[in-house]
Amino acid sequence: MQDHDWNDLKYLLALRREGKLARAGRALGVSETTVARRINALEQALETNLFLRSANGRYEPTDAALQILTHAESIEAENVAIGEMSGDCARKVTGSVRISSVPFIVNHLLVPGVAALGRLHPCLTVDLVPTSENLDLSKREADLAVRFARPHAGGLRTKAQKLGELSFAVYAASSLSSTRVGDLGWITYDDANLNLPQARWLENAAKSSNLRATLKIADIETGMQAVAAGIGKTLLPSAVVSNDPRFREVKLDVGARLPTREIWLLSHVDQTSRLSINAAKDWLSNLDWV
């Protein structure tokens, strides 16, 4: 038997209490994919099945899980007690962290996950700055920057860390029939943004199919609104729209390659000793970007 990760016990407890992956994810401030992945990791480490899915979609604990849950609840209670003994905010991670990113990442990926950071560090304030401009970290315009694609090397004393990759799939409005979806035109990007990976893919799709919508866009946010309105179909990030009832995924031919966008974190090397910065970086590193 492998050593298990103690942090995975919180996913075990959440799924037992909530019964479904999505609800457990909301309770923990993560996606249901994260819950499923951490439960699977715990099952592999313990070499036993922990849940069985019932006919109504709920996850019911196995006998082995019920035994483990007793110990997990005790660990949770002791952890809470330790937290209560730790005193006021002067002994915890405090201060403010200013994080810059494009509006899409801020609104759809950072804001939904910030509650989990708040539960972990209740005395830490996060200042989210939605902007497409590259703020100057050396001038403390931001403490951390989350950006699409790897930042270019510059004169700043900065450190770049890859957080993950944003996967895209084709989506249309869920209100449309399958026949109607097949006739939809591709919502493509304007000329100023044709260098983007998803823009190049969409341009090729529109040319090969001779199906082009009457709208061109400049960003993902506009694409989401256009698809929801039934104007056409386009590439959207699965991590954001896969659980949104306004959208339905359009299945492509087997073997079709879809683009991805790398997500990178930029930080200043002089701030590595700040507990608040390190706490925010840990949080960003554990977000689901897929």
Side-chain angles (χ1 to χ4, degrees), residues 125-191:
T125 300
V126 177
D127 184 5
L128 295 177
V129 185
T131 178
S132 298
E133 298 179 6
N134 292 331
L135 299 186
D136 194 336
L137 300 187
S138 66
K139 296 179 181 178
R140 300 301 188 262
E141 292 179 345
D143 297 309
L144 300 171
V146 180
R147 298 176 182 170
F148 281 123
R150 183 169 191 164
H152 296 294
L156 296 178
R157 298 186 63 212
T158 57
K159 178 182 178 181
Q161 171 189 345
K162 186 178 178 181
L163 295 175
E165 293 188 2
L166 204 60
S167 299
F168 285 80
V170 177
Y171 289 91
S174 58
S175 59
L176 300 177
S177 66
S178 299
T179 302
R180 180 74 180 90
V181 168
D183 296 331
L184 282 177
W186 290 99
I187 300 173
T188 56
Y189 280 69
D190 59 22
D191 293 343

Side-chain angles (χ1 to χ4, degrees), residues 31 108-109 166-167 171 236-243 288-290:
S31 71
H108 295 283
L109 296 170
L166 204 60
S167 299
Y171 289 91
L236 296 174
S238 299
V240 174
V241 302
S242 60
N243 293 318
D288 272 325
W289 301 98
V290 179

Side-chain angles (χ1 to χ4, degrees), residues 19-153:
K20 293 189 175 182
L21 293 173
R23 293 177 182 174
R26 284 194 292 269
L28 293 173
V30 301
S31 71
E32 61 180 285
T33 303
T34 295
V35 178
R37 186 173 68 248
R38 298 322 309 165
I39 291 295
N40 182 61
L42 188 58
E43 288 180 332
Q44 290 185 9
L46 299 176
E47 299 179 354
T48 185
N49 292 329
L50 297 175
F51 289 93
L52 297 175
R53 192 170 184 179
S54 63
N56 62 5
R58 287 186 61 86
Y59 284 79
E60 301 295 341
T62 63
D63 290 340
L66 291 174
Q67 290 182 317
I68 296 169
L69 281 162
T70 301
H71 299 287
E73 289 168 348
S74 298
I75 292 172
E76 180 185 53
E78 291 296 330
N79 189 52
V80 171
I82 291 172
E84 292 173 347
M85 291 170 58
S86 64
D88 57 20
C89 285
R91 299 185 183 131
K92 300 178 182 178
V93 176
T94 62
S96 177
V97 177
R98 187 173 173 85
I99 304 174
S100 165
S101 190
V102 296
F104 176 81
I105 290 180
V106 168
N107 296 331
H108 295 283
L109 296 170
L110 301 188
V111 169
V114 79
L117 178 62
R119 288 192 292 270
L120 189 61
H121 301 295
C123 299
L124 177 64
T125 300
V126 177
D127 184 5
L128 295 177
V129 185
T131 178
S132 298
E133 298 179 6
N134 292 331
L135 299 186
D136 194 336
L137 300 187
S138 66
K139 296 179 181 178
R140 300 301 188 262
E141 292 179 345
D143 297 309
L144 300 171
V146 180
R147 298 176 182 170
F148 281 123
R150 183 169 191 164
H152 296 294

